[in-house]
Each structure stands twice: as C-alpha cells, then as structure tokens.
Amino acid sequence: MILLKVDDRKFGKSKIKYSIVDKETNELIISGVFEEFGQASDKYYELKDEYGSSNVKMVLK
C-alpha cells in the first residue's frame, strides 16, 4: 500500500508539503512541495495508475 501524505493545513495556499510512503515498510519513497493543491490530486491519480487503484490512499495531515 502506498500513502500520499499531504499537509492540508495549507489548503488553498501555495508550497504544500507532501510525502509518498510505503505503508508496509514505512519507507519514504519521495517527498517534496506542491505549488498548488491541484498537483496533489494529479499525483494521486498518477500513483493509482502506477500501483493500482486499491493500493494507493491519500492522507491529509
């Protein structure tokens, strides 16, 4: 299972921090900053295409 963790405290703002983590191993795959929240949605669908829709979850933190 892949988790896309997004800092929603800055919802509607810029410079939104995110991380992509393997839930089973708790291994950080990648982290970074989105310029706008719409990029988080785009990344979520990209991950679903890559890993399968049942293997990806978005978590707002």
Side-chain angles (χ1 to χ4, degrees), residues 25-44:
T25 63
N26 206 26
E27 177 184 352
L28 177 66
I29 297 171
I30 192 170
S31 65
V33 176
F34 293 130
E35 292 298 320
E36 60 181 341
F37 196 81
Q39 290 177 302
S41 178
D42 294 344
K43 179 57 89 174
Y44 174 68

Side-chain angles (χ1 to χ4, degrees), residues 3-61:
L3 299 178
L4 171 59
K5 297 180 179 182
V6 180
D7 182 357
D8 70 338
R9 292 173 289 177
K10 293 198 171 204
F11 184 77
K13 299 185 168 123
S14 62
K15 308 288 185 200
I16 300 165
K17 294 179 182 179
Y18 74 94
S19 58
I20 300 172
V21 178
D22 183 322
K23 184 178 180 183
E24 282 79 33
T25 63
N26 206 26
E27 177 184 352
L28 177 66
I29 297 171
I30 192 170
S31 65
V33 176
F34 293 130
E35 292 298 320
E36 60 181 341
F37 196 81
Q39 290 177 302
S41 178
D42 294 344
K43 179 57 89 174
Y44 174 68
Y45 287 109
E46 181 183 313
L47 290 169
K48 284 178 76 169
D49 288 343
E50 185 175 339
Y51 293 101
S53 61
S54 62
N55 294 322
V56 178
K57 300 268 190 244
M58 182 186 293
V59 178
L60 301 176
K61 57 178 182 162

